């Protein structure tokens, strides 16, 4: 009986007192943005995810926090719209394929990230950098990502970096906790 009352109490809290949060998820194509959001929403990981064309929006409910997540395409033609969808959000999540062996992957990700965050319209918005695909061999760890993406050079905002695997669900609890902490500000 106590379980029923707890469920009703939780439902009422979410209904009337949930904290809403806007998050923009960006990164180069094939970094795993859509796969991560699908897994966070309680769905299954799929290897053959269709690339996002333009943008999509997914709502996630985690405890008493409702996350509205904008998933933006990572192809070059969509990168110009990243800044517009990052304005006024509670957090920016930048995802990198930490196992991509191509020599241009990390330098291109660094260029796009730094180009985006130099916009004064985004000052103060917390940034979470996720090195996805940590389950694959030769994936970069957090320390390497921080150095190669020059995250220590970023100012005017809080910056955090985690190594994750959407496929294996590695460190996803830390990602959710980080986002929830930004909603409580």
């Amino acid at each position: 009986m106590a379980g029923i009352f707890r469920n009703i109490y939780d439902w009422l809290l979410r209904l009337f007192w949930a904290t809403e949060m806007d998050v923009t998820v960006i990164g180069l194509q094939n970094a795993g943005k859509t796969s991560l959001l699908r897994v966070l929403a309680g769905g299954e990981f799929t290897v053959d995810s269709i690339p996002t064309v333009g943008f999509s929006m997914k709502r996630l409910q985690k405890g008493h926090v409702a996350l509205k997540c904008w998933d933006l395409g990572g192809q070059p033609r969509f990168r110009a719209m990243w800044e517009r969808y990052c304005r006024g959000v509670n957090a920016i999540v930048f995802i990198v394929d930490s196992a991509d062996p191509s020599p241009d992957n990390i330098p291109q990700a660094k260029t796009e990230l730094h180009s985006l965050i130099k916009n004064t319209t985004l000052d103060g918005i917390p940034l979470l950098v996720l090195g996805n695909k940590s389950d694959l061999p030769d994936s970069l760890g957090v320390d390497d990502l921080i150095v190669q993406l020059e995250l220590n050079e970023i100012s005017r905002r809080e910056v955090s970096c985690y190594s994750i695997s959407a496929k294996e669900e590695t460190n996803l609890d830390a990602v959710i906790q980080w986002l929830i902490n930004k909603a409580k500000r």
Side-chain angles (χ1 to χ4, degrees):
M1 192 69 162
I4 293 171
F5 288 117
R6 181 71 186 164
N7 289 341
I8 292 170
Y9 173 74
D10 286 343
W11 177 77
L12 287 170
L13 277 177
R14 282 194 304 272
L15 185 64
F16 296 109
W17 293 285
T19 301
E20 297 247 345
M21 182 176 185
D22 289 314
V23 176
T24 300
V25 180
I26 55 175
L28 303 184
Q29 66 273 15
N30 301 316
K33 301 174 295 292
T34 303
S35 295
L36 173 65
L37 289 175
R38 184 181 304 116
V39 171
L40 288 176
E44 296 273 324
F45 176 85
T46 58
V47 177
D48 55 352
S49 190
I50 298 170
T52 302
V53 176
F55 67 91
S56 67
M57 194 271 292
K58 184 172 278 302
R59 289 188 182 276
L60 309 173
Q61 184 75 39
K62 297 296 177 183
H64 304 300
V65 177
L67 300 164
K68 181 168 68 172
C69 300
W70 294 98
D71 176 10
L72 303 182
Q75 298 85 348
R77 66 181 184 207
F78 299 122
R79 295 176 194 163
M81 70 181 195
W82 286 1
E83 186 268 340
R84 184 178 19 188
Y85 283 90
C86 288
R87 284 185 221 152
V89 297
N90 298 92
I92 299 168
V93 178
F94 188 82
I95 302 183
V96 178
D97 180 344
S98 66
D100 186 336
S102 70
D104 297 337
N105 176 48
I106 297 297
Q108 184 65 47
K110 178 184 86 169
T111 298
E112 294 296 339
L113 174 62
H114 285 266
S115 175
L116 174 72
I117 60 170
K118 75 179 183 186
N119 289 289
T120 56
T121 56
L122 307 181
D123 283 358
I125 299 174
L127 172 67
L128 177 60
V129 177
L130 301 176
N132 191 24
K133 306 182 185 180
S134 65
D135 56 299
L136 298 178
D138 299 324
S139 63
L140 296 174
V142 170
D143 293 339
D144 290 328
L145 285 170
I146 290 170
V147 169
Q148 292 189 36
L149 294 173
E150 296 180 4
L151 299 182
N152 290 330
E153 304 296 318
I154 297 173
S155 60
R156 303 187 321 251
R157 75 190 72 250
E158 176 186 343
V159 180
S160 295
C161 183
Y162 293 112
S163 181
I164 67 161
S165 169
K167 180 179 181 181
E168 301 292 327
E169 300 187 23
T170 305
N171 259 356
L172 299 191
D173 289 343
V175 170
I176 292 296
Q177 193 57 53
W178 188 91
L179 290 170
I180 289 171
N181 288 342
K182 299 307 154 239
K184 292 179 180 176
R185 296 170 125 201

